[in-house]
Structures are given as C-alpha cells and as structure tokens.
Amino acid sequence: MRPEGRGRRGEGECSPRYKGAQTFRRGRALEFYRQLETKRDTLKKQLAVPELQSIHPVIAGELKATEAIMNDFVALFQLNEILENVQQED
C-alpha cells in the first residue's frame, strides 16, 4: 500500500510531469505552421511574377490548398490563441 501523495495515482496530462512534452509538441506545431506561412508567402510572390503567368492557375490552386491546410491545422491543434500571442509579440 502506498502512502497518500506518492506514486502515479492522480497524475494526468495536466500534471507538471507532462508540461514539457506538451510544450515540445506545441513548439513543433508552431514551427510547421511557420513553414506553411513561408510556402504561402512564396506562392503569393510567384503569382506576381510575369514569367509565371502561364502557370498562374496552378500556383493559385496551390495557394488555396496551402491556406486550407493552414486553417485546418490551426483548428485541429487549437492554435488560435497561441498564434495571436506570437503575432502580438512580433
């Protein structure tokens, strides 16, 4: 029999033991989101390049798909508040 306050009983995702993993996953999620932002910005720049006018529909489609992925990613990982805080810091 274990004394009260010892052992694994009562430990859950909210316990301090799991905060490091949660922060690590959140950091990786934010890094992936930043990569998507870079891809989106690159696609927007490509839309403005006259030499790429012939593939404009393809670039526009990729841009829409990237933005859809970004929106889904934010919703799935509940990143709204985190992204707002990061943007306010910048």
Side-chain angles (χ1 to χ4, degrees), residues 25-37 73:
R25 286 191 301 270
R26 186 174 295 140
R28 289 184 68 168
L30 287 173
E31 181 58 33
F32 181 71
Y33 186 81
R34 287 186 187 108
Q35 290 175 3
L36 289 172
E37 284 181 321
F73 193 78

Side-chain angles (χ1 to χ4, degrees), residues 59-71:
I59 297 171
E62 285 188 34
L63 178 60
K64 286 181 183 180
T66 301
E67 289 175 339
I69 291 168
M70 291 172 73
N71 293 335

Side-chain angles (χ1 to χ4, degrees), residues 39-69:
K39 182 173 184 165
R40 180 193 61 197
D41 294 343
T42 300
L43 290 168
K44 284 182 177 181
K45 289 176 186 174
Q46 288 176 347
L47 284 175
V49 175
E51 293 84 17
L52 300 176
Q53 206 60 25
S54 64
I55 59 169
H56 189 274
V58 173
I59 297 171
E62 285 188 34
L63 178 60
K64 286 181 183 180
T66 301
E67 289 175 339
I69 291 168

